[in-house]
mmCIF file of all heavy atoms in Angstrom:
data_model
loop_
_atom_site.group_PDB
_atom_site.id
_atom_site.type_symbol
_atom_site.label_atom_id
_atom_site.label_comp_id
_atom_site.label_asym_id
_atom_site.label_seq_id
_atom_site.Cartn_x
_atom_site.Cartn_y
_atom_site.Cartn_z
ATOM 1 N N ILE S 13 132.402 113.959 70.336
ATOM 2 C CA ILE S 13 131.016 113.987 70.812
ATOM 3 C C ILE S 13 130.281 112.715 70.391
ATOM 4 O O ILE S 13 129.643 112.042 71.195
ATOM 5 C CB ILE S 13 130.282 115.227 70.257
ATOM 6 C CG1 ILE S 13 130.932 116.478 70.842
ATOM 7 C CG2 ILE S 13 128.791 115.174 70.589
ATOM 8 C CD1 ILE S 13 130.287 117.763 70.403
ATOM 9 N N LEU S 17 128.741 109.749 72.831
ATOM 10 C CA LEU S 17 127.346 109.292 72.810
ATOM 11 C C LEU S 17 127.267 107.803 72.509
ATOM 12 O O LEU S 17 126.461 107.066 73.101
ATOM 13 C CB LEU S 17 126.554 110.086 71.770
ATOM 14 C CG LEU S 17 126.401 111.577 72.069
ATOM 15 C CD1 LEU S 17 125.546 112.252 70.994
ATOM 16 C CD2 LEU S 17 125.772 111.793 73.442
ATOM 17 N N LEU S 25 122.992 100.214 77.492
ATOM 18 C CA LEU S 25 122.277 99.005 77.070
ATOM 19 C C LEU S 25 122.840 97.769 77.767
ATOM 20 O O LEU S 25 122.093 96.944 78.300
ATOM 21 C CB LEU S 25 122.372 98.844 75.545
ATOM 22 C CG LEU S 25 121.546 99.848 74.742
ATOM 23 C CD1 LEU S 25 121.761 99.645 73.251
ATOM 24 C CD2 LEU S 25 120.066 99.692 75.092
ATOM 25 N N ILE S 26 124.183 97.655 77.749
ATOM 26 C CA ILE S 26 124.807 96.492 78.391
ATOM 27 C C ILE S 26 124.428 96.442 79.870
ATOM 28 O O ILE S 26 124.051 95.397 80.410
ATOM 29 C CB ILE S 26 126.349 96.540 78.246
ATOM 30 C CG1 ILE S 26 126.741 96.352 76.781
ATOM 31 C CG2 ILE S 26 127.007 95.469 79.120
ATOM 32 C CD1 ILE S 26 128.235 96.470 76.528
ATOM 33 N N TRP S 37 118.267 89.836 91.699
ATOM 34 C CA TRP S 37 118.853 88.756 92.491
ATOM 35 C C TRP S 37 119.243 89.278 93.884
ATOM 36 O O TRP S 37 118.931 88.660 94.904
ATOM 37 C CB TRP S 37 120.073 88.216 91.740
ATOM 38 C CG TRP S 37 120.793 87.099 92.416
ATOM 39 C CD1 TRP S 37 120.268 85.903 92.828
ATOM 40 C CD2 TRP S 37 122.184 87.072 92.759
ATOM 41 N NE1 TRP S 37 121.250 85.139 93.397
ATOM 42 C CE2 TRP S 37 122.437 85.823 93.365
ATOM 43 C CE3 TRP S 37 123.243 87.976 92.592
ATOM 44 C CZ2 TRP S 37 123.701 85.467 93.818
ATOM 45 C CZ3 TRP S 37 124.495 87.606 93.039
ATOM 46 C CH2 TRP S 37 124.719 86.369 93.645
ATOM 47 N N LYS S 46 124.396 89.449 100.922
ATOM 48 C CA LYS S 46 123.758 90.619 100.331
ATOM 49 C C LYS S 46 124.555 91.898 100.634
ATOM 50 O O LYS S 46 124.794 92.709 99.750
ATOM 51 C CB LYS S 46 122.335 90.724 100.874
ATOM 52 C CG LYS S 46 121.540 91.857 100.273
ATOM 53 C CD LYS S 46 120.092 91.787 100.706
ATOM 54 C CE LYS S 46 119.322 92.959 100.109
ATOM 55 N NZ LYS S 46 117.881 92.793 100.234
ATOM 56 N N PHE S 87 138.746 86.170 71.144
ATOM 57 C CA PHE S 87 138.976 87.610 71.056
ATOM 58 C C PHE S 87 140.407 87.888 70.630
ATOM 59 O O PHE S 87 141.349 87.284 71.133
ATOM 60 C CB PHE S 87 138.692 88.249 72.429
ATOM 61 C CG PHE S 87 139.066 89.701 72.521
ATOM 62 C CD1 PHE S 87 138.247 90.680 71.968
ATOM 63 C CD2 PHE S 87 140.250 90.091 73.151
ATOM 64 C CE1 PHE S 87 138.596 92.017 72.054
ATOM 65 C CE2 PHE S 87 140.599 91.426 73.234
ATOM 66 C CZ PHE S 87 139.762 92.395 72.691
ATOM 67 N N VAL S 111 122.300 99.652 88.991
ATOM 68 C CA VAL S 111 121.801 98.656 89.934
ATOM 69 C C VAL S 111 121.042 99.307 91.102
ATOM 70 O O VAL S 111 119.986 98.821 91.501
ATOM 71 C CB VAL S 111 122.957 97.771 90.450
ATOM 72 C CG1 VAL S 111 122.482 96.848 91.561
ATOM 73 C CG2 VAL S 111 123.526 96.957 89.300
ATOM 74 N N GLN S 112 121.553 100.410 91.618
ATOM 75 C CA GLN S 112 120.901 100.983 92.797
ATOM 76 C C GLN S 112 119.471 101.481 92.538
ATOM 77 O O GLN S 112 118.567 101.134 93.296
ATOM 78 C CB GLN S 112 121.780 102.071 93.414
ATOM 79 C CG GLN S 112 123.008 101.451 94.080
ATOM 80 C CD GLN S 112 123.794 102.433 94.908
ATOM 81 O OE1 GLN S 112 123.622 103.639 94.778
ATOM 82 N NE2 GLN S 112 124.672 101.924 95.755
ATOM 83 N N ARG S 124 103.395 90.534 98.376
ATOM 84 C CA ARG S 124 102.102 89.861 98.202
ATOM 85 C C ARG S 124 101.617 89.894 96.754
ATOM 86 O O ARG S 124 100.855 89.037 96.332
ATOM 87 C CB ARG S 124 101.060 90.430 99.153
ATOM 88 C CG ARG S 124 100.831 91.857 98.956
ATOM 89 C CD ARG S 124 100.197 92.544 100.117
ATOM 90 N NE ARG S 124 100.487 93.942 99.969
ATOM 91 C CZ ARG S 124 99.993 94.693 99.012
ATOM 92 N NH1 ARG S 124 99.144 94.187 98.151
ATOM 93 N NH2 ARG S 124 100.336 95.956 98.909
ATOM 94 N N ALA S 129 100.442 86.510 92.220
ATOM 95 C CA ALA S 129 100.731 86.018 90.876
ATOM 96 C C ALA S 129 101.055 84.525 90.910
ATOM 97 O O ALA S 129 100.636 83.773 90.025
ATOM 98 C CB ALA S 129 101.883 86.806 90.262
ATOM 99 N N THR S 142 105.630 90.244 83.923
ATOM 100 C CA THR S 142 104.276 90.817 83.883
ATOM 101 C C THR S 142 103.952 91.689 85.088
ATOM 102 O O THR S 142 103.033 92.497 85.034
ATOM 103 C CB THR S 142 103.213 89.699 83.795
ATOM 104 O OG1 THR S 142 103.410 88.794 84.886
ATOM 105 C CG2 THR S 142 103.314 88.941 82.499
ATOM 106 N N ILE S 143 104.657 91.522 86.200
ATOM 107 C CA ILE S 143 104.367 92.325 87.390
ATOM 108 C C ILE S 143 105.527 93.278 87.703
ATOM 109 O O ILE S 143 105.347 94.488 87.808
ATOM 110 C CB ILE S 143 104.104 91.421 88.624
ATOM 111 C CG1 ILE S 143 103.083 90.345 88.313
ATOM 112 C CG2 ILE S 143 103.674 92.264 89.821
ATOM 113 C CD1 ILE S 143 101.697 90.845 88.007
ATOM 114 N N LEU S 153 113.754 104.082 84.110
ATOM 115 C CA LEU S 153 113.995 105.397 83.518
ATOM 116 C C LEU S 153 115.126 106.104 84.251
ATOM 117 O O LEU S 153 116.068 106.631 83.640
ATOM 118 C CB LEU S 153 112.699 106.208 83.629
ATOM 119 C CG LEU S 153 112.567 107.395 82.700
ATOM 120 C CD1 LEU S 153 112.566 106.924 81.265
ATOM 121 C CD2 LEU S 153 111.287 108.156 83.013
ATOM 122 N N GLY S 174 141.827 104.253 78.533
ATOM 123 C CA GLY S 174 141.642 104.510 77.113
ATOM 124 C C GLY S 174 142.683 105.417 76.499
ATOM 125 O O GLY S 174 142.985 105.320 75.304
ATOM 126 N N PRO S 178 142.371 109.677 68.907
ATOM 127 C CA PRO S 178 141.249 110.241 68.152
ATOM 128 C C PRO S 178 140.454 109.128 67.481
ATOM 129 O O PRO S 178 141.014 108.201 66.912
ATOM 130 C CB PRO S 178 141.931 111.126 67.102
ATOM 131 C CG PRO S 178 143.280 111.403 67.657
ATOM 132 C CD PRO S 178 143.652 110.240 68.495
ATOM 133 N N GLN S 180 139.066 106.641 68.594
ATOM 134 C CA GLN S 180 139.052 105.394 69.355
ATOM 135 C C GLN S 180 138.634 105.637 70.800
ATOM 136 O O GLN S 180 137.692 105.031 71.291
ATOM 137 C CB GLN S 180 140.464 104.763 69.356
ATOM 138 C CG GLN S 180 140.755 103.884 68.164
ATOM 139 C CD GLN S 180 139.968 102.568 68.222
ATOM 140 O OE1 GLN S 180 139.842 101.974 69.273
ATOM 141 N NE2 GLN S 180 139.426 102.161 67.082
ATOM 142 N N VAL S 184 134.574 113.356 74.826
ATOM 143 C CA VAL S 184 134.452 114.801 75.008
ATOM 144 C C VAL S 184 135.224 115.302 76.220
ATOM 145 O O VAL S 184 135.945 116.289 76.160
ATOM 146 C CB VAL S 184 132.976 115.221 75.131
ATOM 147 C CG1 VAL S 184 132.865 116.721 75.329
ATOM 148 C CG2 VAL S 184 132.217 114.812 73.892
ATOM 149 N N ILE S 188 138.049 118.118 76.011
ATOM 150 C CA ILE S 188 138.007 119.416 76.690
ATOM 151 C C ILE S 188 139.290 119.626 77.487
ATOM 152 O O ILE S 188 139.926 120.678 77.436
ATOM 153 C CB ILE S 188 136.770 119.516 77.606
ATOM 154 C CG1 ILE S 188 135.490 119.512 76.751
ATOM 155 C CG2 ILE S 188 136.821 120.776 78.468
ATOM 156 C CD1 ILE S 188 134.220 119.433 77.548
ATOM 157 N N LEU S 203 132.756 123.427 73.585
ATOM 158 C CA LEU S 203 132.447 122.028 73.926
ATOM 159 C C LEU S 203 131.762 121.931 75.295
ATOM 160 O O LEU S 203 130.764 121.217 75.463
ATOM 161 C CB LEU S 203 133.732 121.190 73.928
ATOM 162 C CG LEU S 203 134.192 120.708 72.552
ATOM 163 C CD1 LEU S 203 135.541 120.008 72.663
ATOM 164 C CD2 LEU S 203 133.166 119.760 71.935
ATOM 165 N N GLY S 205 130.075 124.210 76.841
ATOM 166 C CA GLY S 205 128.723 124.763 76.720
ATOM 167 C C GLY S 205 127.775 123.756 76.111
ATOM 168 O O GLY S 205 126.645 123.587 76.572
#
Side-chain angles (χ1 to χ4, degrees):
Chain S
I13 295 181
L17 295 182
L25 288 177
I26 292 176
W37 180 56
K46 183 172 179 167
F87 172 78
V111 173
Q112 289 190 344
R124 60 200 159 68
T142 55
I143 310 295
L153 200 63
Q180 274 289 319
V184 180
I188 294 173
L203 278 174

